C-alpha cells in the first residue's frame, strides 16, 4: 500500500467528517429555533419523545445536537429526565440514517451528483437569503465526494484479493467469542480516538464490502462504535452539571445494555439481518469463485446499515418500557453535589464539553443568563433585608450586629459572583461567535452580551446600596426617621416589581410579554425619585434630619433609580430594542 493511498483514505475520511459537520450545522441554522420548539412540544410521553428524537436527529444528521438540546431542556425544567431518556433513545434510531447514506455511497457511483451540488451551492452562498441552503448543498457535495473517493480507493486497493490482509483476519477464529470481544473493543477504541463513529463506520464498510473483513467481525466493530461514541459524551459531561451527566450515563447504559443482550443472540440476529438484505453468509471465495464472492461482499455495506438500524430499533423497543427504572438507576449512580449552589459560583447550564453545535449553544447561554437575572433579584432582596436590620433600635443593635455583618458578607460574595458570571458567560458567547452563525443568532449573541453587562451593573448597584447602608449602620450618623424608612421601602418595592417583570421576560417568551408594564414601573420610579428629592430638601431645611442623613438617604434612592434603568436596558436587549439614553 503506497503512501498516497493512505493519504487518500485519510483525506477522504476527513472530508467525510467535514461534509457531515457542514451539512448538520447548515440544517441547524435553517431550523434551529423551530427544532427546539418541536422538541419541547412533542415530548408529552415516552413514545412521542422517542419519535421526536428520531425525527430531529434524522433531520439535522447529528445525535450530538439532539442530546445538547435535550440536556438544555432538562436543565431548564422543560423536560423531565425520563422524557430526555426517551428522546435520546429516538436519537439513536435517527442517527442510523447516516449509515444508510454511507452504504448507498459505498455501493453506487454517486460522484457525479457532487458537481451540480457544488455549482448550485456556490451560487446560493453568495445570495444572502439562501446562503444556508448553499452551505447545506456544499456539505452534501463534500459527503458524496468523500464517499465516492473512499469507494474508489477501496476498490483499487483490492483488499479482498490481498492474501496478507485475508490471512490477518483469518488468524482470528470466527467462531470464538473472544474474537467478537476483541473487535468490539477495537471498534470502541477507534471511535474514541477519532471522535467520529461515522469515520469508523466508513472504514468498516470498506473492509467488509471488499471481502477482506468477515461480516461477524464487522458487526462487532459496529457494536464497539456504539459504545465508543457514548464514552466520548460521558467524558465531555464530567465537568457538566448533574442532569447532563445523568443523561450521558443513560445514553451509555442504553448502548451497553444493547450490546450485552445482542451478544447472546449474536449469530442468529446477524443471520436474520443478512437474510433481509440477501447476503449469503456461507459463501466463500473457494466455493463460489472470486467474482461471485466479491459481488456478494458488495452487499455488506447494506448489511451493516441494516444491522445498525435493527439493533437500535430492537434495543429501543425493549428499553422504552423501563425508562422509569433507568431514570432511578442513573439518579442512584450520579448523586447531586452537596454544596450550597447559591453561595458557590458555578455555571449551571453552560458546559464546555457539550458545546458542539454553535446555533444551539445559544439556548445554553440564555438559560444561564436567566439564572443570572434571578440571582440578581435575590441579591436585591438581601439589600432590602439589610435595610430592615439597620433600622433596629439601639438596644437590639448589639444582638443583631452579627446577623447584619453576616448578611453584608453574603452580599459582597454575590457581587463577586456577578462579576465572574459576566466574564464566564461573555467568554462562552465569544467562543460561540467564532463559528459561522446565522444573522438571527449573531443578533441574539449581541443582545445577550448587552444583557449580562446590564445584569452585572444591577449587582454593582445592589452592592453600592449595601455599602451605603453598612457605612451608616457602623458610623455615627443618626437613624433615618420613620418616613424615610417608609419611602425607602416603597421605592425598593417598586424596584423589586421591575426586577420581577424582568425575570418574567427572561423565563418566558417575549411574544407574550407586555413591555409597557416595565416602562410604567420605570416612570413610577423616576417620578417618585423626583418627588423624594424635592421633599428631602424641604425636610433638611425644616431640620427634620441632618444634611448628612439626607445625603445617605438620597444615595439609596438614586441607586434604586439607576437599578431600574439597568432593568429596562435588560428588557430592551431581550426584546431586541435599541438602548435609550437616560
Amino acid at each position: 500500500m503506497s503512501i498516497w493511498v493512505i493519504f487518500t483514505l485519510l483525506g477522504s475520511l476527513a472530508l467525510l467528517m467535514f461534509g457531515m459537520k457542514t451539512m448538520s450545522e447548515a440544517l441547524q441554522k435553517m431550523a434551529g429555533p423551530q427544532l427546539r420548539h418541536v422538541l419541547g412540544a412533542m415530548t408529552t410521553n415516552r413514545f412521542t419523545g422517542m419519535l421526536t428524537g428520531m425525527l430531529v436527529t434524522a433531520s439535522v444528521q447529528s445525535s450530538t445536537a439532539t442530546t445538547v438540546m435535550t440536556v438544555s431542556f432538562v436543565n431548564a425544567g422543560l423536560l423531565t429526565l425520563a422524557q430526555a431518556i426517551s428522546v435520546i433513545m429516538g436519537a439513536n434510531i435517527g442517527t442510523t440514517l447516516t449509515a444508510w447514506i454511507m452504504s448507498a455511497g459505498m455501493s453506487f457511483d454517486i460522484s457525479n451528483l457532487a458537481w451540480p451540488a457544488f455549482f448550485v451551492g456556490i451560487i446560493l452562498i453568495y445570495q444572502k437569503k439562501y446562503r444556508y441552503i448553499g452551505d447545506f448543498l456544499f456539505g452534501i457535495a463534500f459527503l458524496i465526494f468523500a464517499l465516492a473517493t473512499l469507494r474508489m480507493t477501496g476498490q483499487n486497493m483490492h483488499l479482498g484479493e490481498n492474501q496478507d490482509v485475508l490471512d490477518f483476519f483469518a488468524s482470528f477464529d470466527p467462531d470464538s467469542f473472544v474474537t467478537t470481544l476483541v473487535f468490539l473493543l477495537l471498534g470502541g477504541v477507534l471511535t474514541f480516538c477519532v471522535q467520529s463513529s461515522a469515520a469508523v463506520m466508513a472504514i468498516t464498510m470498506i473492509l467488509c464490502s471488499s471481502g477482506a473483513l468477515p461480516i461477524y467481525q464487522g458487526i462487532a466493530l459496529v457494536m464497539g462504535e456504539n459504545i465508543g461514541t457514548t464514552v466520548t459524551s460521558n467524558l465531555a459531561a464530567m465537568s457538566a452539571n448533574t442532569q447532563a451527566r445523568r443523561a450521558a450515563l443513560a445514553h451509555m447504559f442504553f448502548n451497553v445494555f444493547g450490546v450485552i443482550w445482542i451478544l447472546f443472540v449474536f449469530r442468529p440476529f446477524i443471520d436474520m439481518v443478512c437474510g433481509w438484505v440477501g447476503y449469503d453468509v456461507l459463501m466463500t471465495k473457494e466455493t463460489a469463485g472470486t467474482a461471485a464472492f466479491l459481488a456478494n461482499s458488495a452487499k455488506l455495506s447494506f448489511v451493516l446499515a441494516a444491522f445498525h438500524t435493527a439493533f437500535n430499533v430492537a434495543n429501543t423497543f425493549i428499553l422504552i418500557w423501563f425508562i422509569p427504572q433507568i431514570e432511578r438507576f442513573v439518579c442512584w449512580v450520579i448523586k447531586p453535589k452537596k454544596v450550597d449552589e447559591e453561595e458557590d459560583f458555578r455555571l449551571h447550564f453552560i458546559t464546555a464539553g457539550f458545546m458542539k453545535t454553535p446555533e444551539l449553544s445559544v439556548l445554553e447561554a440564555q438559560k444561564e443568563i436567566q439564572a443570572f437575572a434571578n440571582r440578581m433579584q435575590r441579591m436585591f432582596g438581601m439589600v432590602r433585608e439589610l435595610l430592615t436590620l439597620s433600622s433596629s433600635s439601639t438596644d437590639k443593635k448589639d444582638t443583631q450586629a452579627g446577623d447584619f455583618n453576616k448578611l453584608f458578607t453574603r452580599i459582597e460574595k454575590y457581587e463577586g459572583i456577578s462579576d465572574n458570571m459576566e466574564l464566564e458567560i461573555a467568554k462562552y458567547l465569544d467562543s460561540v461567535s467564532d463559528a459561522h452563525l446565522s444573522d438571527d443568532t449573531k443578533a441574539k449573541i449581541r443582545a445577550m452580551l448587552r444583557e449580562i453587562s446590564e445584569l452585572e451593573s444591577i449587582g454593582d448597584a445592589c452592592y453600592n446600596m449595601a455599602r451605603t447602608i453598612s457605612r451608616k449602620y457602623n458610623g455615627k450618623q443618626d437613624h433615618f426617621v420613620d418616613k424615610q424608612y417608609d419611602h425607602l421601602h416603597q421605592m425598593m418595592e417598586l424596584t423589586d416589581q421591575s426586577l420581577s417583570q424582568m425575570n418574567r421576560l427572561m423565563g418566558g417568551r417575549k411574544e407574550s410579554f407586555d413591555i409597557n408594564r416595565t416602562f410604567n414601573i420605570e416612570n413610577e420610579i423616576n417620578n417618585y425619585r423626583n418627588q423624594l428629592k424635592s421633599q428631602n430638601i424641604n425636610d433638611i431645611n425644616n431640620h427634620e434630619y441632618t444634611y448628612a442623613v439626607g445625603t445617605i438617604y438620597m444615595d439609596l434612592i438614586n441607586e434604586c433609580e439607576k437599578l431600574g434603568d439597568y432593568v429596562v436596558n435588560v428588557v430592551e436587549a431581550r426584546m431586541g430594542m435599541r438602548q435609550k439614553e437616560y
Side-chain angles (χ1 to χ4, degrees), residues 160-459:
E161 300 170 27
N162 188 316
Q163 198 58 44
D164 292 335
V165 175
L166 294 173
D167 289 342
F168 171 75
F169 288 116
S171 65
F172 295 94
D173 183 1
D175 299 319
S176 171
F177 182 69
V178 175
T179 299
T180 302
L181 292 179
V182 167
F183 277 85
L184 191 150
L185 181 64
L186 182 63
V189 171
L190 281 173
T191 304
F192 175 72
C193 289
V194 302
Q195 298 281 296
S196 172
S197 58
V200 181
M201 176 68 85
I203 295 169
T204 308
M205 285 183 174
I206 290 173
L207 290 170
C208 286
S209 59
S210 65
L213 181 65
I215 182 58
Y216 297 112
Q217 283 93 313
I219 294 292
L221 280 175
V222 172
M223 289 161 57
E225 293 159 19
N226 275 280
I227 296 177
T229 193
T230 64
V231 171
T232 302
S233 63
N234 271 270
L235 288 175
M238 284 179 68
S239 62
N241 53 40
T242 302
Q243 292 291 58
R245 287 183 286 128
R246 285 172 176 170
L249 180 62
H251 191 196
M252 175 178 272
F253 175 84
F254 176 85
N255 283 8
V256 171
F257 178 84
V259 168
I260 290 171
W261 73 256
I262 209 77
L263 287 173
F264 286 99
V265 291
F266 191 62
R267 294 284 176 131
F269 193 89
I270 294 173
D271 291 345
M272 176 185 70
V273 174
C274 291
W276 293 344
V277 178
Y279 172 77
D280 187 354
V281 293
L282 300 175
M283 183 182 292
T284 63
K285 188 187 294 186
E286 291 75 18
T287 57
T290 301
F293 174 75
L294 292 176
N296 190 47
S297 297
K299 299 176 184 177
L300 280 177
S301 59
F302 285 108
V303 173
L304 292 171
F307 170 82
H308 198 207
T309 302
F311 164 75
N312 281 294
V313 169
N315 201 27
T316 299
F317 180 77
I318 293 170
L319 288 178
I320 199 167
W321 310 101
F322 300 99
I323 286 178
Q325 288 76 17
I326 297 172
E327 180 182 22
R328 284 199 293 271
F329 171 72
V330 296
C331 289
W332 175 74
V333 173
I334 300 177
K335 294 180 173 61
K337 294 179 181 178
K338 293 181 180 179
V339 295
D340 186 352
E341 293 189 344
E342 294 304 323
E343 302 299 316
D344 175 54
F345 167 66
R346 183 169 62 86
L347 297 181
H348 297 281
F349 304 104
I350 289 174
T351 52
F354 276 100
M355 201 195 78
K356 308 257 183 204
T357 50
E359 291 291 324
L360 301 172
S361 302
V362 173
L363 180 65
E364 305 275 337
Q366 283 177 340
K367 296 302 173 189
E368 201 65 70
I369 293 172
Q370 182 184 338
F372 191 2
N374 282 319
R375 185 169 246 157
M376 290 302 96
Q377 185 167 15
R378 284 193 296 274
M379 185 179 180
F380 183 71
M382 293 178 202
V383 174
R384 296 181 72 181
E385 187 180 346
L386 195 72
L387 178 66
T388 302
L389 285 174
S390 74
S391 65
S392 303
S393 59
T394 307
D395 58 329
K396 292 183 180 179
K397 186 170 181 179
D398 292 337
T399 59
Q400 294 192 346
D403 292 337
F404 183 93
N405 292 331
K406 185 178 178 181
L407 185 57
F408 181 74
T409 301
R410 283 189 74 198
I411 294 172
E412 275 189 315
K413 191 167 187 178
Y414 263 60
E415 203 277 331
I417 288 172
S418 72
D419 290 343
N420 287 330
M421 287 192 78
E422 181 193 18
L423 291 174
E424 291 299 317
I425 297 171
K427 187 193 300 180
Y428 179 79
L429 290 172
D430 185 55
S431 63
V432 172
S433 62
D434 286 340
H436 298 291
L437 302 171
S438 64
D439 290 339
D440 181 50
T441 303
K442 287 176 183 175
K444 284 180 182 175
I445 289 176
R446 285 194 297 271
M448 285 191 284
L449 287 169
R450 180 180 162 197
E451 287 166 24
I452 60 174
S453 174
E454 299 295 342
L455 286 170
E456 195 275 333
S457 295
I458 290 174

Side-chain angles (χ1 to χ4, degrees), residues 69-129:
M69 284 191 289
T70 304
V71 171
S72 300
F73 273 54
V74 173
N75 288 341
L78 301 177
L79 288 182
T80 65
L81 184 59
Q83 289 172 320
I85 293 170
S86 68
V87 173
I88 290 170
M89 288 181 176
N92 273 275
I93 298 175
T95 197
T96 61
L97 179 63
T98 304
W100 285 103
I101 294 171
M102 292 170 63
S103 63
M106 292 288 183
S107 303
F108 308 107
D109 185 8
I110 56 175
S111 59
N112 289 334
L113 296 176
W115 309 119
F118 275 129
F119 177 71
V120 176
I122 196 65
I123 294 174
L124 295 178
I125 283 173
Y126 283 101
Q127 295 185 31
K128 188 174 182 180
K129 186 177 179 181

